[in-house]
Amino acid sequence: MKIIKLVHGEQLYLFLEGRLDASAASELEEVLDRDLEGITELIIDLEKLEYLSLAGAGVFFSAIEIMNRKGSMKVVHVNDTIKEIFGATLQIMQTHINLLNQIF
């Protein structure tokens, strides 16, 4: 996967290209850990993202949690394939939450 970064003041733009699989997810996580200092708005452009794994989706959810405390986050130019993967990921997460609620 290719990550293109652009910083404009307190805004960080990330343009993701290729496949965001488990190995690329750790790379993206490192970029976010390193580059969010002083950032109040994160914009992630997925126009050229071809694939998103469950691990990759997890990085987005972690980033949302971080940016909710620091400012805001937007994900833009999401194609239909990636939208479907996000939807399936949310369904899986909801199923796990429902199971945990039944146990506890």
Side-chain angles (χ1 to χ4, degrees), residues 28-99:
L28 179 58
E29 200 168 42
E30 287 176 19
V31 167
L32 292 171
D33 286 344
R34 183 180 60 240
D35 293 336
L36 286 181
E37 182 68 35
I39 298 299
T40 59
E41 185 175 14
L42 173 63
I43 300 101
I44 303 177
D45 189 307
L46 303 183
E47 183 174 15
K48 296 185 179 180
L49 191 67
E50 300 164 1
Y51 172 77
L52 176 67
S53 71
L54 189 58
V59 175
F60 283 101
F61 295 122
S62 295
I64 289 168
E65 204 173 306
I66 292 166
M67 291 311 298
N68 278 342
R69 292 189 301 264
K70 297 179 62 147
S72 66
M73 175 177 158
K74 296 177 189 169
V75 179
V76 297
H77 302 126
V78 183
N79 65 46
D80 290 339
T81 302
I82 302 303
K83 283 179 188 175
E84 287 177 24
I85 295 169
F86 271 126
T89 302
L90 289 172
Q91 286 179 330
I92 290 168
M93 291 173 65
Q94 188 60 52
T95 300
H96 288 283
I97 290 169
N98 290 342
L99 289 172

Side-chain angles (χ1 to χ4, degrees), residues 17-30:
E17 297 181 13
R19 298 175 55 85
L20 181 48
D21 56 18
S23 63
S26 63
E27 179 185 349
L28 179 58
E29 200 168 42
E30 287 176 19

